[in-house]
Amino acid sequence: MTREVKEAVTELIREGIDRAREKEELALCDLPPVYLEVPSEKQYGDLATSIALQLASQVKLSPRRVAEVIVKHIPQSSTVSQIEVAGPGFINFFLTPEALYPVLGDIEEEGANYGRSDSGKGKRVLIEFISANPTGPLTAAHGRHGAVGDALANILQMVGYRVYREYYYNDVGHQMDILGKSVQARYHQLRGEETTFPEDDYKGNYITHIAQEIARECEDVKKDLGFFRRFAEEKLFESIKKDLEDFAVQFDGWVKEKDLYESGQLKKTMERLKKEGHIYEKEGALWFRSSRFGDEKDRVVEKSDGQPTYLAPDIAYHQNKYERGFHCLIDILGPDHHGYVGRLKAAIEALGHEKESLRVIILQLVSLYRGKEKLPMSTRAGEFITLRQVLDEVGKDAARFFFLMRTTNSHLNFDLNLAKSQSTENPVYYVQYAHARICSILEFAAERGVEVNKVGEVDLSLLKEKEELEIIKTLAQFPEVVEGCARALEPHGLTSYLQELAGGLHNYYNKFRVIGEDRNLSSARLILVKAVRTTLQNGLHLLGISAPEKM
RNA sequence: GCGCCCGUAGCUCAGUGGAUAGAGCGGUGGCCUCCGGAGCCAGAGGUCGGAGGUUCGAAUCCUCUCGGGCGCUCCA
């Protein structure tokens, strides 16, 4: 509901309470804040408050009695048509159509900005996601990270944060060595030469493809391990960037581990921790005293062979984020990294930052299905479905919608057959179809010479069908839905909202004609469906999904 | 053994301490002379894994327990 309406109703409730107090019908000392909610079911009205239940014990009356007393003293108003006391003591408000119509004007005026707010107050946020190392192609699981990270960034921008999207990867160290050795061994094998594969080698077909490419294109190059490693990294990164581009996932910055060594950031950060007494030596290794900051035990940051562990550059990286002026960090990590959160938070606290300034989303696993059949997902064994395969098979829009449909902390079952099917079962088409349908209505209006007017030129009070008012109420909720998604760092609320809005439109379309004999009525209804179209567009845009005019 | 996530309709899942726990799909029965049937409508389907507790009120919070997943390394 719009803020204006909510404020008006809240004011009515306060007035009701005040008057009851003056007449000494409520012995009240302390008034808690009055909250309004949108009731779970339509029969309970458009807005409701549980204030009477909260006050009951204080004023020593039954909750229902408190509600009745308050309602008795609420003055008449043009926004509210009916007030009821229901259930254990809820006060339910039914809004007048006149209170709803202004939403249509707001949407027309704000257009692509409908749903925007400034609640983020321009605060700078760095959101880091995917951050897959270039040791193989992006998998379907990375697809979920990409979809969630990108959509979340869009949503946060919409509510007034300044958002920076970043991808971090390790381009030095053990894993990259194994990558180089895997390609090298495969290359020698292709040439029929004797070779040994490293332990834990990467086994995917892409290793062979890279080796073949080297055999084809790099006849005269000196081929030491460094060469294989660099070549593989470059090739894999090219393909990662291409995948992201086709998946419409944007990044503002790329940070590689090597940068942290070369800029001195790693050294600087470690020295600061040492100086402040957060690092100690034991058994030839350097340990970070993370247990002092709530981690379950201390962690090695430099191994006894002098090499840093994975944690060290990661601490330096996060410190670097703060030094660049970001004081609100979001990391999206896989469930295999949840044990990592404690030490990371310990580190940022040791470096003088608020623990709460880092929010970590643990994004649960993706299981791919083809109908009933579960598909294998093992990076090491080289048996996995790549993001590229998903994109080729179901397309960007369906893939993104499916990745976004669930809460981040529950496992996602992704049925490729379902995502691919252009049928009623597939929610992404359901939503897009509503958009295309409205475009088609507008086209029809143009053919018939029905003018598409502005809100001010139309008699909106002709919109009095129950379905029309329901749609307007749904439209009015959009800004709050976006706000809620931002607050919870959960984009999935938007997918269900869009399904609901599309459902309202389809239902309406089947029951009523937008373009009919009555010109004035047609004009009013055109305003309504245009507002639905704008809102669908805005919602889909936030999710990175297209809003096609024809399908 | 310890930590995190999940357990809600046949299936996939929503549900920020509030009302008779919702939606989509599937299954059943209807709706195309009509702006796009990739659509709509109607009815069926539940001991919210289980047991205690907290309070005016618990799917939601706490404790225990059972099932599934993922971690628990001087790996990344």
Side-chain angles (χ1 to χ4, degrees):
Chain A
M1 226 39 63
T2 61
R3 213 183 51 231
E4 289 78 10
V5 171
K6 277 193 153 183
E7 277 170 11
V9 174
T10 308
E11 196 43 49
L12 289 175
I13 298 167
R14 284 213 196 90
E15 240 171 281
I17 294 173
D18 284 347
R19 291 185 189 187
R21 229 179 191 172
E22 283 165 24
K23 297 246 165 95
E24 292 178 6
E25 289 176 39
L26 277 185
L28 185 65
C29 4
D30 211 23
L31 179 60
V34 176
Y35 291 113
L36 286 174
E37 57 179 294
V38 177
S40 53
E41 284 180 62
K42 290 181 173 61
Q43 55 166 314
Y44 299 135
D46 302 316
L47 289 169
T49 180
S50 61
I51 190 73
L53 286 93
Q54 293 168 55
L55 296 180
S57 59
Q58 193 189 143
V59 300
K60 301 199 169 55
L61 290 172
S62 76
R64 274 200 76 102
R65 181 71 200 135
V66 176
E68 279 158 14
V69 168
I70 294 172
V71 168
K72 193 173 81 184
H73 289 99
I74 291 178
Q76 286 285 325
S77 152
S78 60
T79 49
V80 172
S81 60
Q82 193 191 342
I83 306 176
E84 282 180 358
V85 175
F90 287 96
I91 304 174
N92 296 336
F93 296 85
F94 295 79
L95 300 175
T96 60
E98 289 68 34
L100 299 169
Y101 296 141
V103 176
L104 297 175
D106 293 349
I107 295 173
E108 179 178 284
E109 194 178 319
E110 293 170 34
N113 285 319
Y114 180 60
R116 192 172 288 285
S117 80
D118 57 2
S119 61
K121 300 187 176 65
K123 213 167 154 189
R124 296 179 70 197
V125 178
L126 190 150
I127 176 166
E128 180 204 335
F129 57 106
I130 304 182
S131 292
N133 295 336
T135 55
L138 293 180
T139 64
H142 294 125
R144 187 177 189 192
H145 283 247
V148 169
D150 192 63
L152 219 43
N154 291 339
I155 289 166
L156 291 170
Q157 263 162 354
M158 192 74 166
V159 301
Y161 290 92
R162 285 155 67 199
V163 180
Y164 192 84
R165 304 135 190 254
E166 197 157 87
Y167 188 119
Y168 171 72
Y169 60 100
N170 307 106
D171 57 341
V172 289
H174 190 55
Q175 293 305 314
M176 295 309 291
D177 276 341
I178 293 179
L179 173 70
K181 284 176 187 164
S182 299
V183 173
Q184 187 176 37
R186 194 65 70 184
Y187 170 81
H188 289 308
Q189 189 192 44
L190 283 174
R191 294 171 58 100
E193 295 162 5
E194 189 143 323
T195 185
T196 54
F197 284 88
E199 218 176 302
D200 288 333
D201 68 320
Y202 291 100
K203 293 185 171 65
N205 288 333
Y206 64 94
I207 297 291
T208 310
H209 294 149
I210 293 169
Q212 282 167 340
E213 209 171 328
I214 292 174
R216 221 167 34 239
E217 292 169 16
C218 308
E219 271 308 309
D220 306 320
V221 187
K222 180 170 167 284
K223 298 182 195 59
D224 56 4
L225 177 58
F227 165 81
F228 285 104
R229 202 177 48 206
R230 279 192 304 276
F231 192 93
E233 179 188 331
E234 194 179 312
K235 283 293 155 196
L236 286 168
F237 225 81
E238 253 170 47
S239 86
I240 286 173
K241 288 198 172 176
K242 182 78 175 75
D243 290 351
L244 291 174
E245 190 186 323
D246 293 344
F247 198 40
V249 170
Q250 312 274 333
F251 282 99
D252 301 303
W254 308 77
V255 173
K256 50 183 194 286
E257 190 180 351
K258 205 181 279 174
D259 298 339
L260 299 166
Y261 288 87
E262 288 172 356
S263 66
Q265 180 81 51
L266 176 66
K267 198 160 169 254
K268 192 176 77 183
T269 308
M270 284 306 123
E271 256 152 33
R272 180 166 157 208
L273 286 175
K274 268 181 221 167
K275 205 176 75 194
E276 295 176 10
H278 302 307
I279 303 270
Y280 63 94
E281 197 181 330
K282 192 178 89 181
E283 293 160 7
L286 294 181
W287 297 70
F288 167 46
R289 212 183 291 278
S290 56
S291 62
R292 191 184 274 173
F293 301 98
D295 195 12
E296 48 191 49
K297 58 181 184 181
D298 294 344
R299 309 289 174 176
V300 172
V301 284
E302 193 182 299
K303 298 184 256 178
S304 48
D305 64 2
Q307 290 297 307
T309 62
Y310 184 84
L311 180 60
D314 233 23
I315 294 173
Y317 174 43
H318 281 81
Q319 172 61 14
N320 175 261
K321 293 178 184 177
Y322 287 103
E323 286 175 14
R324 280 184 282 152
F326 297 101
H327 295 285
C328 178
L329 307 183
I330 299 172
D331 287 3
I332 302 182
L333 303 178
D336 51 338
H337 282 77
H338 82 260
Y340 203 69
V341 177
R343 60 198 86 163
L344 208 51
K345 290 212 171 212
I348 64 164
E349 204 180 349
L351 289 163
H353 311 290
E354 293 278 333
K355 220 172 221 176
E356 293 73 32
S357 64
L358 170 66
R359 295 178 71 182
V360 180
I361 300 170
I362 297 295
L363 189 54
Q364 297 296 328
L365 295 175
V366 176
S367 299
L368 283 175
Y369 288 82
R370 217 182 285 283
K372 289 258 178 266
E373 181 205 357
K374 186 169 179 177
L375 305 175
M377 287 298 272
S378 158
T379 312
R380 270 310 167 79
E383 289 176 354
F384 52 83
I385 307 294
T386 61
L387 174 58
R388 171 59 53 189
Q389 283 170 277
V390 175
L391 282 176
D392 289 346
E393 204 167 324
V394 313
K396 180 204 65 157
D397 288 339
R400 287 188 70 125
F401 199 92
F402 273 67
F403 281 133
L404 293 167
M405 263 191 330
R406 304 292 174 232
T407 59
T408 53
N409 60 13
S410 66
H411 291 215
L412 173 67
N413 289 325
F414 188 147
D415 182 351
L416 291 168
N417 288 350
L418 178 60
K420 190 164 42 177
S421 74
Q422 304 199 347
S423 75
T424 162
E425 303 170 32
N426 192 335
V428 64
Y429 290 107
Y430 184 80
V431 175
Q432 289 180 319
Y433 186 65
H435 181 267
R437 188 169 241 178
I438 295 168
C439 293
S440 159
I441 295 170
L442 290 168
E443 213 167 273
F444 183 82
E447 281 168 21
R448 287 293 193 84
V450 178
E451 241 181 292
V452 179
N453 294 300
K454 294 281 183 194
V455 166
E457 305 160 343
V458 171
D459 180 8
L460 291 176
S461 71
L462 296 171
L463 299 173
K464 52 187 176 230
E465 300 293 346
K466 186 172 90 252
E467 288 79 359
E468 292 169 332
L469 298 174
E470 283 308 322
I471 290 175
I472 299 174
K473 288 173 197 171
T474 306
L475 290 171
Q477 275 172 280
F478 182 67
E480 289 168 76
V481 171
V482 176
E483 201 74 51
C485 289
R487 204 170 34 241
L489 302 182
E490 279 284 2
H492 97 280
L494 218 33
T495 61
S496 29
Y497 173 81
L498 289 173
Q499 290 179 80
E500 188 191 334
L501 180 57
L505 187 277
H506 288 312
N507 175 342
Y508 178 58
Y509 175 89
N510 271 274
K511 210 158 166 187
F512 302 96
R513 287 192 63 84
V514 175
I515 312 296
E517 296 303 315
D518 183 337
R519 283 281 165 132
N520 291 331
L521 183 59
S522 301
S523 291
R525 289 181 169 174
L526 277 170
I527 295 283
L528 177 66
V529 298
K530 267 179 67 187
V532 174
R533 184 175 71 162
T534 299
T535 307
L536 287 172
Q537 279 169 353
N538 293 0
L540 285 169
H541 183 74
L542 287 172
L543 302 179
I545 296 169
S546 65
E549 297 186 8
K550 295 200 184 320
M551 295 173 68

